[in-house]
Every structure is written in C-alpha cells, then in structure tokens.
Amino acid sequence: VSQPNVMQFVFAEHEGSYLVGVIAALKAKADGIKNPRFGFIGGIPGATITKFEVGYIQGILSVLPDAQIVDYYANDWGKPELAKAQAKNWYDSGVYAIYSAAGGTGNGTIAQAKEYRSQGRNVWAIGVDSDQYEEGLYSDGESAVLTSMLKMVESSTKVALQAVQDGTFASKVVNLDMKADGVGYSSRNKALGADIVGEVEKVKRD
C-alpha cells in the first residue's frame, strides 16, 4: 500500500549489468583469451536477480556472440564460502570472469579472485551495487575486481529532495535507469585501460 509521504525507487539493474558484461568480454578479447568462459553467481533466485544475470549475459554476447556462460545460485545471501568454492571450481576450469549478485555471499568470489591473482592467475571478479574495487585489493596494490555494476542510490535522494523543493513530491514509483543516472559501472581499476572505457562509454550512450 503506498503512503502519501513515500516515494519509491526501482533501478534498472539489467542496464548496469549489461555494461559490466560488455567490460568482461572486451577485457577477455584484449587479453587474447581463446574461447573465454564467464560465470554468474546469484544469491536466492527471483525476478530481481534474473535482471542482473540476463543483463550481464546480453552484454557479454553483444561482444562475443559465441561465449559460454555458466551460472550458480547459492540460495543464500550470507554464505561467502559457497561462492568461494564455486569460483575456485570455475576459475580452475577456465572461467575468466565472475559477476556475483548475491549479497554477502558474493564476497567469496572476490576472495578467490584475490587469491588467484596474487598467484599470477589471470582471472577477475566483478562487483555489484557499490564500487567493490577496494575489497579486491591484494598484495601489490592491484584489485581483483575488474569493475562493479553501480546502483546510484544517491540519485534517488537527489530526485526526492528536488521534488520536495519544487513542491512536486508525490507518492509514486520512480524508475531510475541508466539515462536517469540510476545505474552505471566503475572505471576505477586501471586494468580496464582507456580503450575499454571508451568502448563502454559508447555503449552507454547507445
């Protein structure tokens, strides 16, 4: 039931996830990986997490139409050990990058990517919702988190405050998509390079 003093916000997670899929595929291409495979780890299955997964898959396929993608659902938001074990299996079998939309469970993916990158293995984790670059930092000051899908929660605060100021505040659902600066990606990891960032910005404009 909507309340007169509540403005609700939903985010176009699939659009931000599309961008990180594009990034993972472009990076694999730049690294000359033959037949790269990609992974997705979800928390508990549901319509929202499907948006993350399908956006990511479409982003990868837009760059590498024949790419192979594997997925796994932990059925839990707070079990990083499950994601870590799955990430290890996948990285060992040749998966190049793993995107997790799994709450605290996804931290296991980052932990495994850190472990392997610090051993010189070329594998990546992709963060979700906020910039997880710092969580991916390992021994030599590099991050195992290639990029993160960003949910710009601050945009919702801005829209709500602006509406109050303008006297247009209403009880409604506002969809914050990429155009409204609701979702995006992190370009903080220098491993992306200017070429990939340039390509992704082009995709973003499209």
Side-chain angles (χ1 to χ4, degrees):
V1 182
S2 61
Q3 301 295 326
N5 63 333
V6 177
M7 188 182 267
Q8 297 179 60
F9 290 88
V10 292
F11 293 85
E13 293 99 348
H14 51 293
E15 293 183 1
S17 298
Y18 184 92
L19 293 183
V20 299
V22 167
I23 288 169
L26 288 173
K27 183 66 176 157
K29 218 170 153 180
D31 284 354
I33 308 287
K34 295 263 176 284
N35 307 319
R37 296 170 69 222
F38 302 89
F40 175 83
I41 293 180
I44 296 170
T48 301
I49 300 301
T50 300
K51 284 168 71 182
F52 286 89
E53 178 172 9
V54 175
Y56 171 64
I57 290 171
Q58 293 298 330
I60 292 168
L61 297 180
S62 74
V63 177
L64 300 168
D66 299 323
Q68 222 192 342
I69 297 136
V70 286
D71 72 356
Y72 164 77
Y73 279 80
N75 286 308
D76 205 295
W77 301 115
K79 290 222 173 108
E81 65 277 12
L82 295 179
K84 192 172 188 294
Q86 185 60 66
K88 184 181 190 305
N89 286 341
W90 279 349
Y91 289 141
D92 288 347
S93 72
V95 169
Y96 176 73
I98 301 170
Y99 177 39
S100 302
T105 297
N107 296 339
T109 306
I110 296 174
Q112 190 59 49
K114 277 165 73 166
E115 212 170 282
Y116 273 174
R117 284 200 74 80
S118 64
Q119 292 167 18
R121 304 265 299 267
N122 188 17
V123 296
W124 294 104
I126 296 170
V128 73
D129 290 341
S130 61
D131 189 349
Q132 294 191 282
Y133 174 85
E134 287 188 7
E135 289 164 51
L137 290 171
Y138 58 95
S139 50
D140 52 3
E142 306 273 333
S143 178
V145 175
L146 180 63
T147 184
S148 300
M149 190 284 273
L150 304 180
K151 202 182 275 185
M152 324 290 258
V153 181
E154 62 274 26
S155 294
S156 59
T157 309
K158 213 163 135 190
V159 170
L161 290 174
Q162 190 67 55
V164 170
Q165 191 179 31
D166 300 343
T168 58
F169 187 95
S171 172
K172 60 181 180 181
V173 176
V174 180
N175 181 28
L176 289 182
D177 57 10
M178 205 184 296
K179 205 187 297 180
D181 205 26
V183 290
Y185 71 99
S186 166
S187 57
R188 203 164 155 201
N189 196 327
K190 59 184 189 303
L192 286 182
D195 288 356
I196 289 178
V197 172
E199 282 287 310
V200 182
E201 283 302 313
K202 213 181 298 171
V203 170
K204 198 174 169 184
R205 283 193 299 275
D206 288 347

